[in-house]
Amino acid sequence: MRKFAMAALGGTLTGIVLTTQVAGPLIAQEGEDRSSVYEQLDLFGDIFERIRAQYVEEVEEGELIEAAIDGMLTSLDPHSSYLSPDDADDMRTQTRGEFGGLGIEVTQEEGFVKVVSPMDGTPAFEAGIEAGDYITQVDGESLMGLTLDDAVDMMRGPVGSDLTLTVVREGRDEPFDVTITRDTIELTAVRARTVGDTVVLRLITFSDQTYPKMEELLNEQVEEAGGIENVNGFVIDLRNNPGGLLTQAIEVSDAFLDEGEIVSTRGRAQEDSDRVNATDGDLAQGKPIVVLINGGSASASEIVAGALQDHRRAIVVGTKSFGKGSVQTVMPLRGEGAMRLTTARYYTPSGRSIQALGVSPDVVVQQPPTDPEDAAAAEEEEGNPNLPRRSEADLRGALDNDLLSDDEQEIIREEQEAAEEAARLRDEDYQLAYAIDILKGMIALRPDVVREAQEQQEARATSE
């Protein structure tokens, strides 16, 4: 305590000496800066008055002020903006998981509107919009030169109405049009299913429903499997999840970690920085985890993937994530509007900043394109897949296998069916099939590690 006081005192004395030596220039500089700011504000007022008095058409003064505020914020970065009362209300509705629109998360990149990700089951998703697409026109009107909020406004409209987006996609020589019907977007934050012995948790967004729904569905899947001992592991699918609430990302990460840092945020001032640690308890009870990501996994998704990857709690599979490593704080303003301001960067437990870099997967797995022409060619090569396949067992009078009992033969048949199901899954979703194969390999090669983790979890639960 004494050392700290002395250090503080020394700093204070040094400050006094320096201030004494340069007080005159400092005061003069401060005065010049303040004078410059006042001059700029006077200039703003002068321009505002001239627009109001001389613009070719009468302008709405409130809208002019809002546009100036929004311009000031959007000049900072792509994620800071002014939210009008209607926009602020829409944002609050979205975090509750239901809103009207197309179902795409967009950002602005060098003046272009870029799709971060389409959301599962929404009109944009069903129409084939993909992460990484650039939207250049809406109903034939160019988006170039517009702010992101203005571009989004052009895509809004009454539920049931159509709009046509002109899309530029990497790998396509020409822009193409996509017609989408606006609808009420009712997002299911989490979906779950069991594939073989693996529980797959699909996290679609990070709304205030995400963690409680994930916990509920995980427990349901484990119960339907007959207990955790019948589950070989979990896949957390974060592909095309554009993010959402930071608090939910922390809760989801904490659900699979017993200890250690989850995320840290560092702002401009020391008091704006924070560090969040995990609490005891693992919903997966030590079972292996694979996290799936792609270029549409952003923000809160990257926090979860980065935390589980750094703690070696999960293997991350897929392609590099979007790379949004900044935190936005929504600040209420007078008149029921709000300001969305970037106030901090976030860092993974190892100190990585994801901003503009994204999370790199441990195992890079591309999703093969679903091209109808390629599928037709494969069908020609393989023959008609609808024709029944014949094997030795199908031949009339084929000999039985006399070395195996009926029960053993039944087990082999079940294993063959499981393998065929896995093959079908590769056609439907290659990345997910790959993730499940990794889990099977982890169980087969390191059963002792999995068993030890389970025993530790059980011992902890007993002590509680």
Side-chain angles (χ1 to χ4, degrees):
M1 187 67 170
R2 184 172 298 167
K3 286 183 180 179
F4 176 79
M6 288 297 290
L9 179 59
T12 304
L13 288 174
T14 305
I16 292 170
V17 173
L18 288 174
T19 303
T20 303
Q21 291 173 344
V22 297
L26 281 177
I27 292 170
Q29 180 67 45
E30 186 179 346
E32 287 176 12
D33 290 344
R34 187 177 293 118
S35 174
S36 176
V37 170
Y38 288 146
E39 286 177 8
Q40 293 294 320
L41 289 173
D42 285 342
L43 175 63
F44 173 80
D46 183 34
I47 292 172
F48 175 77
E49 288 299 331
R50 291 193 183 194
I51 291 172
R52 189 173 64 166
Q54 299 176 17
Y55 186 65
V56 66
E57 294 177 356
E58 189 173 343
V59 293
E60 172 58 48
E61 296 173 356
E63 291 180 2
L64 206 57
I65 294 292
E66 284 188 1
I69 294 170
D70 192 47
M72 179 168 55
L73 287 163
T74 54
S75 71
L76 301 172
D77 65 81
H79 308 294
S80 295
S81 64
Y82 170 72
L83 300 172
S84 68
D86 287 343
D87 291 340
D89 188 57
D90 286 346
M91 187 206 66
R92 286 188 287 268
T93 301
Q94 287 184 33
T95 60
R96 292 194 296 268
E98 182 176 331
F99 55 95
L102 304 179
I104 51 174
E105 179 83 6
V106 293
T107 188
Q108 203 157 35
E109 189 174 284
E110 297 180 359
F112 296 96
V113 175
K114 182 179 181 179
V115 177
V116 176
S117 67
M119 301 174 188
D120 284 11
T122 62
F125 181 87
E126 299 297 337
I129 297 296
E130 297 180 2
D133 284 348
Y134 289 92
I135 300 172
T136 60
Q137 297 180 21
V138 174
D139 288 333
E141 292 187 44
S142 174
L143 300 183
M144 282 298 293
L146 296 182
T147 66
L148 185 60
D149 285 343
D150 287 341
V152 170
D153 283 342
M154 286 184 66
M155 289 185 262
R156 288 177 176 155
V159 170
S161 61
D162 291 343
L163 82 166
T164 300
L165 303 180
T166 301
V167 176
V168 174
R169 179 176 297 167
E170 186 177 353
R172 297 281 290 265
D173 294 334
E174 299 290 335
F176 58 95
D177 290 341
V178 179
T179 299
I180 307 176
T181 303
R182 299 179 179 95
D183 200 357
T184 299
I185 311 300
E186 295 182 8
L187 285 180
T188 304
V190 184
R191 293 195 181 106
R193 58 176 170 145
T194 299
V195 179
D197 298 325
T198 303
V199 173
V200 179
L201 299 166
R202 171 79 179 109
L203 274 58
I204 298 160
T205 186
F206 284 89
S207 69
D208 56 10
Q209 308 168 15
T210 302
Y211 172 73
K213 195 65 180 176
M214 184 192 76
E215 181 182 26
E216 176 190 337
L217 292 176
L218 184 151
N219 291 331
E220 281 182 9
Q221 295 296 313
V222 169
E223 187 177 344
E224 288 176 12
I228 194 68
E229 62 276 6
N230 296 321
V231 174
N232 70 0
F234 296 83
V235 172
I236 302 174
D237 187 353
L238 296 173
R239 290 173 299 175
N240 294 329
N241 183 323
L245 298 176
L246 175 63
T247 53
Q248 289 293 303
I250 291 169
E251 288 197 53
V252 168
S253 302
D254 193 6
F256 303 104
L257 295 171
D258 282 320
E259 59 183 1
E261 183 181 307
I262 293 174
V263 66
S264 61
T265 57
R266 302 176 203 170
R268 180 175 171 182
Q270 185 64 37
E271 57 268 23
D272 294 330
S273 300
D274 194 17
R275 189 182 303 273
V276 182
N277 293 316
T279 56
D280 193 27
D282 177 2
L283 286 182
Q285 299 184 38
K287 291 285 186 174
I289 297 173
V290 171
V291 173
L292 272 176
I293 61 171
N294 65 3
S297 308
S299 193
S301 298
E302 295 172 294
I303 290 175
V304 175
L308 297 183
Q309 184 182 53
D310 280 1
H311 283 288
R312 301 185 184 277
R313 182 63 188 93
I315 293 177
V316 178
V317 173
T319 55
K320 192 182 73 160
S321 64
F322 184 76
K324 180 181 176 292
S326 60
V327 179
Q328 282 69 48
T329 302
V330 178
M331 306 173 183
L333 300 173
R334 67 184 70 177
E336 298 185 359
M339 174 173 67
R340 182 168 50 205
L341 186 67
T342 300
T343 53
R345 289 182 174 89
Y346 69 75
Y347 298 80
T348 70
S350 66
R352 288 183 295 163
S353 171
I354 289 166
Q355 179 60 30
L357 295 176
V359 174
S360 297
D362 300 306
V363 183
V364 176
V365 180
Q366 299 283 350
Q367 187 81 306
T370 54
D371 190 327
E373 293 181 9
D374 291 344
E379 188 172 314
E380 269 184 38
E381 272 184 37
E382 296 290 329
N384 190 336
N386 296 320
L387 293 175
R389 305 281 176 165
R390 293 175 66 82
S391 68
E392 170 69 15
D394 296 319
L395 299 177
R396 187 190 299 274
L399 297 175
D400 293 333
N401 189 314
D402 60 348
L403 295 179
L404 299 176
S405 68
D406 290 343
D407 288 343
E408 289 170 328
Q409 290 184 50
E410 181 62 28
I411 290 171
I412 290 175
R413 278 193 287 270
E414 288 176 359
E415 290 174 348
Q416 289 172 342
E417 288 174 6
E420 289 170 4
E421 182 182 348
R424 285 192 295 272
L425 183 60
R426 285 187 197 96
D427 291 336
E428 296 169 10
D429 190 337
Y430 183 79
Q431 288 175 323
L432 178 57
Y434 200 104
I436 291 171
D437 286 344
I438 286 176
L439 281 177
K440 289 177 181 175
M442 292 170 69
I443 294 294
L445 294 175
R446 306 193 66 189
D448 54 325
V449 174
V450 175
R451 186 164 52 250
E452 182 182 346
Q454 279 185 260
E455 288 171 355
Q456 289 176 355
Q457 186 71 22
E458 290 168 3
R460 193 177 294 111
T462 303
S463 65
E464 290 173 356

